[in-house]
Amino acid sequence: MTNSSAVEIVEVAPRDGFQAIKPFIPTETKISACKALIEAGFKRLEVGAFVSPKAIPQLADTAEVHAALAEQAVARSVRLSTLVPNTTGGRRALDAGISDLVFVLSASEAHNQSNVRRSVAASLEDLRELADVGRDVQGFRLRVNIATVFDCPFEGRTPEAAVRHIVERVLEMGIPVEFGLCDTTGRAFPDHVGSLCGELVQHYASERSVGWAFHGHDTFGLGLANALSAYAGGIRIFDAAAAGLGGCPFAPGASGNTATEDLVFTFGNMNIPTDLDLDKLLDAATAMETLPGAQTGGHVRGLPRARICA
Ligand code: COA
Ligand code: ZN
């Protein structure tokens, strides 16, 4: 990514999307879905999670999915990441040969308890331990997803101080990091997204080993508007899920991620390069619609192809 206006989209349907689907998706189907996304040109894919299989049974086969894709990913310079909720998950992922990790914790105490069953301070302790382990691992890359950055389903609007507190504690760990600013509930509003993203990006602009991503949900129909506000605030990395799948099972009322095809369609028509093939992405997204139990979202997928991929 050399063009400063260009964006990088991280496809998260295989993790955030599939975790919201109850009937178990056969491992082979997951692998095919990921391959179709790689065909569409994604250079980053979140392929699953090393979470408790009791909490999210759907993602119990993440190691197999990752292993089946690893060779193709290396050949095509695609990064395959996995979400981890604690040190145990991080160690399991590293043992499975996965070094591109997404550690999740929440800015709000109540959601952190609901999601990962520990305090924010305890999650930060877990992360510190994982960072210490990761330091010696070749190819270790760390994304820290801060959930409920803007809004918590239990506590309402999140104070910005809670977000800054986490950012500061993580930076003290002295390890290169990309922060994912997550609108877990989809109840953030564009003014808030734009101002907080802008402040954080600017405040830490001199930190060379810090990156920023925006992870939005479309629950209230604001996913795209929020992504564009994040872009205006300086964010250039976006998480999105094909077919608008997604949703945190531990955030009541939260629904799908902003649909990747909507983001790609919009950025493309604003002359913001994404390096993705929208036609192939629409094929991959349309295939996901047929997964039993899938609740899809988004807009452009249902429209005539000639009007989308002009
Ligand atoms: N992966 C697999 N097993 C794990 C694990 C992990 N990351 N972390 C803990 N465990 C196991 C422990 O080994 C223990 O097993 P045992 O009962 O056989 O001894 C058991 O789970 C309980 O361990 P504990 O540390 O007490 O965990 P918990 O029950 O408090 O659950 C989490 C904590 C984080 C593991 C669980 O809440 C979880 O996986 N949440 C998923 C969060 C998520 O993915 N949310 C959506 C995305 S944001
Ligand atoms: Zn999410």
Side-chain angles (χ1 to χ4, degrees), residues 49-52 83-87 89-90 102-104 115-116 118 123 126:
F50 282 79
V51 295
S52 161
L83 183 129
V84 301
N86 55 9
T87 325
V102 180
F103 184 93
V104 62
N115 197 36
V116 295
R118 64 204 64 211
S123 278
D126 265 30

Side-chain angles (χ1 to χ4, degrees), residues 15-16 184 215 217 257:
R15 195 279 298 172
D16 210 333
T184 308
H215 173 111
H217 284 257
N257 284 83

Side-chain angles (χ1 to χ4, degrees), residues 163-182:
V163 180
R164 287 177 192 279
H165 170 75
I166 292 176
V167 170
E168 289 293 329
R169 296 295 81 74
V170 173
L171 292 182
E172 283 165 11
M173 296 173 198
I175 189 160
V177 66
E178 176 181 285
F179 289 101
L181 303 172
C182 303

Side-chain angles (χ1 to χ4, degrees), residues 11 56 68 95 109 126 128 145 192 258 271 281 306:
E11 176 54 57
I56 312 242
D95 288 347
E109 282 293 341
D126 265 30
R128 185 185 313 278
N145 266 3
H192 188 186
T258 308
N271 293 319
L281 167 59

Side-chain angles (χ1 to χ4, degrees), residues 79-157:
R79 289 174 57 185
L80 303 176
S81 62
T82 186
L83 183 129
V84 301
N86 55 9
T87 325
T88 309
R91 286 182 190 276
R92 285 182 55 224
L94 292 172
D95 288 347
I98 307 174
S99 52
D100 206 328
L101 304 185
V102 180
F103 184 93
V104 62
L105 81 170
S106 309
S108 75
E109 282 293 341
H111 184 261
N112 208 57
Q113 284 292 351
S114 170
N115 197 36
V116 295
R117 297 156 59 92
R118 64 204 64 211
S119 66
V120 172
S123 278
L124 283 167
E125 229 7 85
D126 265 30
L127 177 55
R128 185 185 313 278
E129 208 180 315
L130 182 60
D132 283 342
V133 174
R135 241 180 273 276
D136 300 325
V137 173
Q138 173 134 29
F140 185 69
R141 296 182 94 145
L142 182 65
R143 155 82 81 95
V144 173
N145 266 3
I146 311 179
T148 63
V149 159
F150 308 94
D151 170 72
C152 167
F154 311 107
E155 297 176 5
R157 187 177 168 117

